[in-house]
């Protein structure tokens, strides 16, 4: 161990190799075992990261990458014998190019920083998530983050032109493509997007930028049923076209909880409606008409809306989005909780919610259920919460949820959060044996010493 520490200090400097209490006293609200390794190193350059990987490879030490620590599947969990590699010093924006529509940044740059830098030239990244202040670009690449604007811009995968990654043995793979069209051989960046660090550590990202709207219109609506909400979404796509940025659904229990917190203020709409949705549009030209209000009027004329409120100020817009984004009200509002993000075809989303309510009422009657999600892209978030006894057998609860989801054709046990440790045992509910075997073979081929044990095991690959 002393030899390892000395060599790490030679690479990054003594002050950037942390051990003992300086590591374990750090904390993460979303992954309680994140600092279990008790050993953390903070590289500041790709070269330092490469040297660390080579050293760990030679000593057969598992590396656990840490970005913003906002993941929800224990993907940043570490244990004694591991080496935590923190990206907190790899935090420079290297290039913002309005003409080329790109932003190149190191992996430790937060999404909020990227948003602010892009906004200086009237641009923005396409992906936006509630944890923008802490989530890092490298972590978002590694988990293929989604968020509230997938409906228009797609997930992280659709917004990455190129990247640089360091392999398990220290090899630096520079694939920082900046071109929209580049069909010269294999698209190697795909090896690192959504693979949770298992195949290599992302060190830099070339992110596609989009023109930032000059303003946004945001409304909160209420509907009588999920079927009607689907019709409203369909009409919004047709009527609003590419102006439609987001369409986010909330079931009444979730809306009542998030808007009923102390300090929230007046609810944008009363609670008690069967379903709610946030609709947001963008406007890119000053002389372009505002289109959301006429659309809402059309929906009222067709008797599809029960109620609606259009934000008239930025504070009203933030209040609407807080109602949707503040899932921490569940995460930290109950002694225990479980969180799921499941992908469905749109026609199956509410059927699953109703079926799960029935199952949980029989099996765990003291459990509270909360549903919300990215309706425009078929991503349903489910949160189960209760006292310490309500969800004591977490594996059994997970099995109930994922077994039920698997009964719906084309469902996915993870729409955007990834697999990590938490979902690894259930991966076969969404992937075939052949797919899982290939994942294992790729992980073994690429070294397998990064985030070992996450997503898939490599034994028997």
């Amino acid at each position: 161990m002393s030899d390892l520490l000395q060599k790490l200090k030679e690479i990054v400097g003594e002050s950037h190799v942390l051990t003992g209490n300086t590591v374990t006293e750090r904390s993460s609200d979303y992954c309680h075992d994140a600092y279990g390794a008790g050993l953390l190193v903070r590289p500041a350059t790709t070269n330092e990261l490469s040297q660390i990987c080579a050293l760990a490879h030679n000593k057969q030490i598992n590396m656990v990458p840490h970005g913003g620590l906002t993941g929800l599947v224990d993907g940043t969990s570490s244990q004694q014998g591991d080496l935590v590699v923190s990206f907190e010093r790899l935090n420079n924006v290297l290039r913002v190019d309005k003409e080329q529509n790109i932003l190149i940044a190191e992996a430790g740059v937060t999404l909020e920083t990227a948003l602010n830098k892009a906004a200086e030239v009237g641009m923005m990244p396409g992906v936006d998530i509630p944890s923008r202040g802490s989530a890092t670009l490298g972590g978002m690449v590694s988990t293929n983050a989604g968020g509230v604007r997938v409906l228009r811009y797609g997930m992280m995968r659709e917004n990455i032109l190129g990247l640089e990654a360091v392999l398990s043995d220290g090899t630096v793979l520079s694939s920082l493509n900046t071109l929209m069209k580049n069909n010269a051989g294999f698209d190697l960046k795909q090896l690192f997007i959504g693979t949770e660090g298992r195949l290599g550590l992302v060190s830099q990202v070339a992110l596609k930028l989009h023109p930032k709207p000059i303003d946004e219109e945001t409304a909160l609506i209420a509907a009588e049923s999920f079927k009607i909400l689907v019709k409203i979404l369909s009409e919004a796509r047709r009527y609003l076209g590419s102006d439609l940025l987001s369409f986010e659904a909330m079931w009444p229990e979730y809306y009542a909880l998030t808007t009923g917190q102390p300090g929230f203020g007046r609810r944008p709409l009363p609670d008690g409606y069967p379903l709610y949705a946030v609709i947001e549009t963008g406007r890119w030209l000053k002389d372009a008409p505002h289109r959301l209000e006429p659309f809402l009027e059309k929906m009222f004329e067709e008797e599809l809306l029960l109620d609606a409120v259009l934000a008239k100020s930025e504070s009203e817009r933030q209040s609407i989005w807080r109602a949707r984004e503040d899932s921490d009200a569940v995460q930290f509002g109950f002694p225990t909780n479980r969180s799921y993000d499941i992908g469905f075809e749109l026609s199956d989303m509410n059927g699953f919610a109703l079926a799960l309510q029935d199952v949980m009422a029989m099996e765990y009657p003291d459990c509270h259920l909360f549903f919300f999600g990215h309706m425009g892209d078929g991503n349903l978030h489910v949160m189960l919460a209760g006292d310490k006894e309500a969800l004591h057998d977490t594996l059994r609860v997970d099995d109930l949820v994922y077994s039920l989801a698997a009964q719906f054709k084309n469902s996915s046990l993870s729409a955007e959060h990834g697999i990590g440790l938490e979902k690894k045992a259930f991966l076969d509910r969404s992937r075939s044996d052949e797919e899982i075997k290939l994942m294992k073979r790729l992980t073994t081929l690429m070294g397998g010493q990064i985030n070992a044990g996450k997503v898939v095991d490599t034994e028997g690959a």
Side-chain angles (χ1 to χ4, degrees):
M1 175 63 79
S2 60
D3 178 59
L4 172 66
L5 292 177
Q6 182 57 39
K7 290 186 182 305
L8 288 172
K9 291 174 182 177
E10 291 173 3
I11 295 170
V12 300
E14 186 170 352
S15 62
H16 300 298
V17 179
L18 309 183
T19 62
N21 291 342
T22 57
V23 178
T24 56
E25 288 178 359
R26 290 186 169 204
S27 63
S28 167
D29 290 333
Y30 300 101
C31 181
H32 298 302
D33 295 326
Y35 295 104
L39 175 60
L40 181 147
V41 63
R42 302 185 296 197
T45 66
T46 298
N47 182 52
E48 289 181 358
L49 180 61
S50 172
Q51 292 181 63
I52 292 166
C53 288
L55 176 63
H57 180 77
N58 290 334
K59 293 184 175 295
Q60 296 292 295
I61 295 171
N62 175 49
M63 293 172 286
V64 179
H66 277 194
L69 297 177
T70 52
L72 297 173
V73 293
D74 288 338
T76 53
S77 175
S78 70
Q79 59 187 354
Q80 286 292 321
D82 291 343
L83 171 62
V84 172
V85 180
S86 171
F87 284 78
E88 59 198 81
R89 295 176 67 218
L90 279 159
N91 59 2
N92 298 296
V93 176
L94 305 175
R95 177 183 173 189
V96 180
D97 191 325
K98 182 177 182 179
E99 283 69 37
Q100 192 64 28
N101 290 356
I102 57 168
L103 178 148
I104 299 178
E106 293 175 330
V109 168
T110 66
L111 174 59
E112 186 170 66
T113 297
L115 285 164
N116 291 338
K117 285 291 187 180
E120 292 175 3
V121 295
M123 306 293 282
M124 69 176 191
V127 176
D128 192 12
I129 56 180
S131 56
R132 58 188 69 85
S134 53
T136 61
L137 297 183
M140 293 173 66
V141 173
S142 297
T143 58
N144 189 28
V148 298
R149 292 186 168 177
V150 172
L151 175 62
R152 177 181 169 99
Y153 298 109
M155 296 183 67
M156 203 67 177
R157 187 180 304 281
E158 286 76 39
N159 288 273
I160 299 169
L161 290 171
L163 53 77
E164 176 187 83
V166 181
L167 305 187
S168 180
D169 64 358
T171 299
V172 178
L173 180 69
S174 184
S175 188
L176 275 169
N177 172 63
T178 59
L179 305 178
M180 288 291 292
K181 299 174 73 174
N182 185 350
N183 205 23
F186 297 169
D187 190 2
L188 295 175
K189 70 175 182 287
Q190 301 296 343
L191 290 170
F192 308 98
I193 303 173
T195 50
E196 302 183 44
R198 293 294 270 130
L199 306 185
L201 297 175
V202 175
S203 51
Q204 293 185 26
V205 183
L207 198 61
K208 188 189 303 182
L209 295 181
H210 307 273
K212 182 178 173 61
I214 60 171
D215 59 37
E216 292 136 341
E217 287 190 289
T218 307
L220 179 67
I221 66 171
E224 182 65 41
S225 68
F226 188 80
K227 183 177 180 180
I228 290 177
L229 206 56
V230 170
K231 183 172 179 58
I232 295 171
L233 171 59
S234 179
E235 290 295 314
R237 283 172 164 155
R238 183 178 299 107
Y239 186 93
L240 300 169
S242 60
D243 290 354
L244 181 61
L245 295 173
S246 304
F247 197 103
E248 303 282 306
M250 294 177 283
W251 275 247
E253 297 81 6
Y254 180 81
Y255 179 78
L257 181 70
T258 60
T259 59
Q261 298 178 88
F264 185 91
R266 183 179 178 182
R267 287 186 167 107
L269 287 178
D271 65 343
Y273 286 124
L275 282 165
Y276 299 82
V278 179
I279 307 177
E280 186 159 271
T281 60
R283 197 168 62 103
W284 285 264
L285 298 173
K286 288 184 178 180
D287 57 353
H290 291 280
R291 302 180 64 199
L292 186 53
E293 187 169 11
F295 172 73
L296 297 177
E297 292 173 354
K298 181 175 184 292
M299 293 299 96
F300 272 118
E301 290 172 2
E302 296 181 13
E303 300 183 344
L304 295 176
L305 290 180
L306 293 176
D307 204 349
V309 60
L310 181 67
K312 297 298 185 182
S313 66
E314 180 59 24
S315 63
E316 290 182 5
R317 176 178 178 268
Q318 290 178 4
S319 180
I320 289 173
W321 274 114
R322 182 182 174 190
R324 162 58 187 86
E325 294 187 336
D326 197 7
S327 60
D328 281 355
V330 184
Q331 182 85 13
F332 304 113
F334 295 85
T336 58
N337 67 83
R338 302 294 288 170
S339 180
Y340 308 88
D341 74 306
I342 307 175
F344 292 102
E345 292 191 356
L346 192 57
S347 59
D348 292 330
M349 189 180 287
N350 194 54
F352 169 82
L354 294 173
L356 184 61
Q357 286 175 331
D358 291 341
V359 169
M360 295 303 292
M362 290 189 297
E363 300 290 340
Y364 295 91
D366 296 326
C367 176
H368 300 274
L369 279 75
F370 301 94
F371 299 96
F372 60 100
H374 316 294
M375 185 173 172
D377 54 66
N379 179 187
L380 180 67
H381 288 279
V382 182
M383 298 188 78
L384 311 179
D387 60 28
K388 291 183 178 180
E389 299 301 319
L391 297 167
H392 63 280
D393 189 349
T394 56
L395 281 177
R396 183 169 183 271
V397 174
D398 290 350
D399 184 58
L400 284 173
V401 173
Y402 294 132
S403 294
L404 181 60
Q407 295 177 23
F408 292 83
K409 187 178 180 181
N410 297 327
S411 66
S412 170
L413 84 164
S414 182
E416 61 181 358
H417 289 170
I419 300 300
L421 284 177
E422 190 173 287
K423 300 182 182 182
K424 185 174 72 171
F426 305 98
L427 185 57
D428 61 355
R429 309 296 169 88
S430 293
R431 296 295 191 183
S432 67
D433 288 344
E434 291 74 20
E435 288 176 306
I436 294 173
K437 286 177 181 177
L438 183 55
M439 292 181 199
K440 292 181 177 182
R441 289 173 62 190
L442 285 170
T443 304
T444 301
L445 178 66
M446 300 288 281
Q449 287 175 256
I450 305 174
N451 246 0
K454 315 289 173 54
V455 188
V456 292
D457 292 320
T458 53
E459 292 82 359

